[in-house]
Amino acid sequence: MLYREMGQTGEKVSILGFGCMRLPIKGSYDQIDVERSSELLDHALNQGINYLDTAYPYHGRGTSQGGASELFLGEYFAGNSRRDEVYLATKSPTWLLEEEGDLDRFLDEQLKRLQTDCIDFYLLHSIKERQWFDLEDLGVLEFLDRATSDGRIKYTGFSTHDTTSFFKEVVDSYQWDMCQIQYNYLDEDIQAGKEGLQYAASKGVGVVIMEPLKGGVLANHVPVEVQKIWDESQFERKPAEWALRYLWDIPEISVVLSGMNTIAQLQENLNTAENGLPNSMASEEKQIMEEVKKVYMGKIAVECSACGYCMPCPSGINIPQCFSYLNQAEMLEEYSEVKSQYYFMLKETEMAGNCLECGLCEEICSQHLPIREKLKEVAGKMGN
Ligand SMILES: NC(=O)c1ccc[n+]([C@@H]2O[C@H](COP(=O)([O-])OP(=O)(O)OC[C@H]3O[C@@H](n4cnc5c(N)ncnc54)[C@H](OP(=O)(O)O)[C@@H]3O)[C@@H](O)[C@H]2O)c1
């Protein structure tokens, strides 16, 4: 296993991290298959993975209550005394925070669930621009100082799926040790994006990647035209290997998390990690990835440049975001992953289905897009 430093913490983290959001289950999502999940973790740890990522809601019945992922990890480490071999990362459920005491209450509950005295990396989970001021008012940053100095957490971080500008604002708001962003070869220009990644790294903030395979879509739903490019190249690689190598080539990335749920997937990603050195991709390889990216981009449904001239919409719709989700779904020929993000990230009033067809947006759209017609398409395909 190769290791990289996590920002300026001095900690050496494995370049492949284990995401505990998609553990093997028995039937429903909240019923973790303990035997198979333990086998996976045993194998991961034996092969040198030392970074595990979980969160309060993972493997839960919904975001309003704690899930089984933290509980499973607590039991797993209680049974094998290997806790010291890994860095445990978990997250504060920011959408459930209502009063200052909630921050301590959730952290204390998580320490119990994980059966540990200290969480190595504690993140504010999926923060959004619209709630950031409320979180600051609630005292989240003071809480992080307090919990670090009393030893309940070792390092601080945050994750977000929001815009680049918001991401940079958050990076500048605190002495973060690390951040977690969605990034893969198709997501260089959305959310934090390449600009955010480089910005965080330039400030000494460690960067952990989530959804490197877009939740599996880049590995398992490959369009025929893309597969043809892979097949015709001189390299014999599976799609997941291309996607992961692309990320490890980037020196600013510390850990790439993947949610592996079979030994075969885990072993394949471990094998790929063996060659995950920074700046190791040859120019022919990068050229092939550019061609693949072009094919995906050719499937884009709306040529929205997200300039934001159309905003604010009188009905409250977040027009650029609605188009971004439509584009991602069309590009990937896959709706379920993108749809869940659409419902998770947008307020109901921001969804395309609220369009009253006033047409004000079309008068000022820099790309002269038929916005009303395209919003109908979004609403039809996303279900609101
Ligand atoms: N902070 C946040 O808001 C947030 C959001 C999302 C994720 N995360 C964290 O980031 C972690 C990683 O994200 P992710 O789980 O979406 O990662 P991912 O690697 O993009 O997707 C995981 C899925 O990819 C497939 N896969 C993995 N390796 C494969 C291989 N070698 N060959 C074929 N398919 C493979 C599996 O799909 P199948 O199950 O379909 O086989 C697996 O469930 C999560 O587990 C979680 O810990 C955090």
Side-chain angles (χ1 to χ4, degrees):
M1 175 58 64
L2 297 171
Y3 298 85
R4 294 188 189 179
E5 297 223 344
M6 176 73 95
Q8 294 182 330
T9 62
E11 306 289 355
K12 299 251 188 237
V13 284
S14 53
I15 61 167
L16 178 62
F18 200 103
C20 299
M21 185 180 81
R22 302 180 199 270
L23 294 166
I25 50 173
K26 279 182 171 169
S28 63
Y29 180 59
D30 57 341
Q31 288 180 310
I32 292 177
D33 184 329
V34 173
E35 199 179 323
R36 284 175 59 217
S37 301
S38 304
E39 247 176 66
L40 277 170
L41 284 191
D42 286 346
H43 191 65
L45 268 60
N46 291 343
Q47 299 299 312
I49 287 183
N50 72 358
Y51 190 92
L52 308 184
D53 176 83
T54 183
Y56 187 75
Y58 291 175
H59 286 282
R61 290 208 177 109
T63 50
S64 62
Q65 52 194 309
S69 178
E70 289 183 333
L71 285 168
F72 160 72
L73 287 172
E75 292 291 320
Y76 174 78
F77 286 112
N80 63 16
S81 55
R82 298 185 77 174
R83 168 71 183 90
D84 292 345
E85 291 176 34
V86 298
Y87 297 104
L88 263 187
T90 193
K91 316 186 187 84
S92 180
T94 52
W95 56 92
L96 297 179
L97 301 172
E98 284 172 3
E99 50 193 33
E100 197 187 341
D102 290 344
L103 285 153
D104 288 289
R105 190 168 59 76
F106 280 115
L107 171 58
D108 292 339
E109 185 185 343
Q110 289 173 291
L111 286 164
K112 267 198 203 124
R113 291 156 64 89
L114 287 162
Q115 303 194 35
T116 189
D117 298 329
C118 174
I119 288 162
D120 302 293
F121 292 94
Y122 195 62
L123 289 76
L124 299 182
H125 196 173
S126 199
I127 51 178
K128 302 181 177 87
E129 185 162 19
R130 63 171 188 260
Q131 51 150 199
W132 182 235
F133 289 125
D134 292 341
L135 288 175
E136 282 188 315
D137 282 350
L138 214 57
V140 275
L141 301 179
E142 294 77 8
F143 157 78
L144 291 175
D145 282 344
R146 198 168 63 245
T148 314
S149 60
D150 67 25
R152 285 177 294 165
I153 62 182
K154 195 158 183 198
Y155 298 111
T156 60
F158 69 95
S159 73
T160 182
H161 291 276
D162 221 320
T163 60
T164 317
S165 58
F166 174 64
F167 175 81
K168 288 164 84 174
E169 185 189 326
V170 178
V171 166
D172 288 338
S173 67
Y174 189 68
Q175 289 284 322
W176 304 101
D177 295 302
M178 50 84 65
C179 62
Q180 188 172 307
I181 59 171
Q182 174 176 327
Y183 199 76
N184 53 62
Y185 65 87
L186 293 185
D187 289 344
E188 287 179 326
D189 300 315
I190 63 163
Q191 301 183 20
K194 191 184 209 164
E195 189 182 332
L197 190 164
Q198 288 175 345
Y199 189 75
S202 74
K203 303 269 169 166
V205 178
V207 179
V208 172
I209 301 302
M210 57 187 163
E211 306 188 52
L213 306 175
K214 260 195 171 303
V217 177
L218 294 181
N220 302 322
H221 297 264
V222 180
V224 199
E225 309 93 295
V226 168
Q227 191 58 52
K228 192 163 172 272
I229 299 176
W230 297 139
D231 291 344
E232 285 173 358
S233 81
Q234 66 195 92
F235 304 94
E236 251 187 60
R237 262 180 216 160
K238 293 198 176 157
E241 186 177 351
W242 280 104
L244 294 173
R245 287 200 64 167
Y246 167 86
L247 293 172
W248 284 319
D249 186 63
I250 302 170
E252 291 89 351
I253 292 176
S254 297
V255 180
V256 175
L257 293 170
S258 185
M260 302 151 289
N261 51 44
T262 63
I263 293 281
Q265 287 177 354
L266 171 59
Q267 191 54 54
E268 184 186 321
N269 297 350
L270 282 164
N271 294 343
T272 306
E274 290 297 309
N275 297 308
L277 290 169
N279 301 316
S280 60
M281 270 190 126
S283 56
E284 306 98 273
E285 296 172 76
K286 287 186 182 164
Q287 185 56 42
I288 292 165
M289 299 223 61
E290 274 309 312
E291 279 176 46
V292 164
K293 205 170 158 182
K294 243 189 236 157
V295 172
Y296 276 116
M297 293 301 180
K299 293 174 185 287
I300 274 180
V302 201
E303 295 288 345
C304 170
S305 61
C307 67
Y309 287 11
C310 55
M311 298 288 281
C313 155
S315 305
I317 301 168
N318 189 333
I319 300 169
Q321 281 295 319
C322 285
F323 290 160
S324 165
Y325 288 116
L326 180 67
N327 281 336
Q328 287 185 61
E330 289 291 309
M331 225 162 49
L332 300 166
E333 299 177 357
E334 207 282 340
Y335 269 82
S336 63
E337 279 285 327
V338 179
K339 220 168 153 178
S340 55
Q341 281 207 17
Y342 180 83
Y343 282 94
F344 182 61
M345 285 302 293
L346 296 181
K347 283 197 272 188
E348 208 173 334
T349 50
E350 293 176 315
M351 293 180 182
N354 296 303
C355 179
L356 297 174
E357 300 193 43
C358 68
L360 286 173
C361 50
E362 292 183 13
E363 289 169 21
I364 42 177
C365 173
S366 64
Q367 310 297 308
H368 312 293
L369 296 171
I371 296 181
R372 289 172 285 185
E373 186 192 314
K374 288 291 172 188
L375 282 176
K376 269 191 207 154
E377 191 178 335
V378 178
K381 290 183 168 161
M382 298 291 170
N384 186 2

